[in-house]
Amino acid sequence: MLYAIISEDVKNSLERRLAARPDHLARLEKLRDEGRLVLAGPHPAVDAENPGDAGFSGSLVIAEFDNLETAQAWADADPYMIAGVYAKATVKPFKKVLP
């Protein structure tokens, strides 16, 4: 089943986010390579493709997991969570309708 992982950054997270980004991306690339990743990306803190020093307010990952508990455990082990980038990560079942 698909799950949406909606994460919220702590304030002023950009420096920590940049430091943990390689490990964070490696986990996402593993999901992609396994054919389980639907999409992933950050929420810019301002209305711009490249927010610069404003940074990001959080992230969204939609991926396939066996169950809610597995998806939550994956979210809790994210390098951004461990590095203190994320204040919290909400995991919800997701039903893709379109496209």
Side-chain angles (χ1 to χ4, degrees):
M1 179 166 190
L2 294 178
Y3 293 88
I5 301 171
I6 305 114
S7 304
E8 297 178 31
D9 280 27
V10 299
K11 290 188 187 271
N12 302 313
S13 64
L14 186 58
E15 187 174 314
R16 282 178 276 184
R17 182 180 267 271
L18 293 173
R21 189 169 191 260
D23 292 336
H24 172 77
L25 289 178
R27 291 180 85 231
L28 291 170
E29 289 166 352
K30 184 175 187 290
L31 283 179
R32 179 200 61 204
D33 294 347
E34 293 170 349
R36 298 170 41 206
L37 183 64
V38 175
L39 66 85
H43 300 284
V46 295
D47 189 12
E49 182 76 22
N50 181 355
D53 291 339
F56 300 91
S57 64
S59 302
L60 172 64
V61 174
I62 298 178
E64 183 179 343
F65 293 93
D66 290 337
N67 53 51
L68 181 61
E69 293 77 21
T70 303
Q72 185 67 60
W74 189 91
D76 292 344
D78 191 293
Y80 282 175
M81 185 65 80
I82 294 165
V85 174
Y86 292 154
K88 70 177 189 173
T90 303
V91 181
K92 298 180 178 185
F94 181 79
K95 182 178 177 180
K96 183 178 176 182
V97 176
L98 294 171

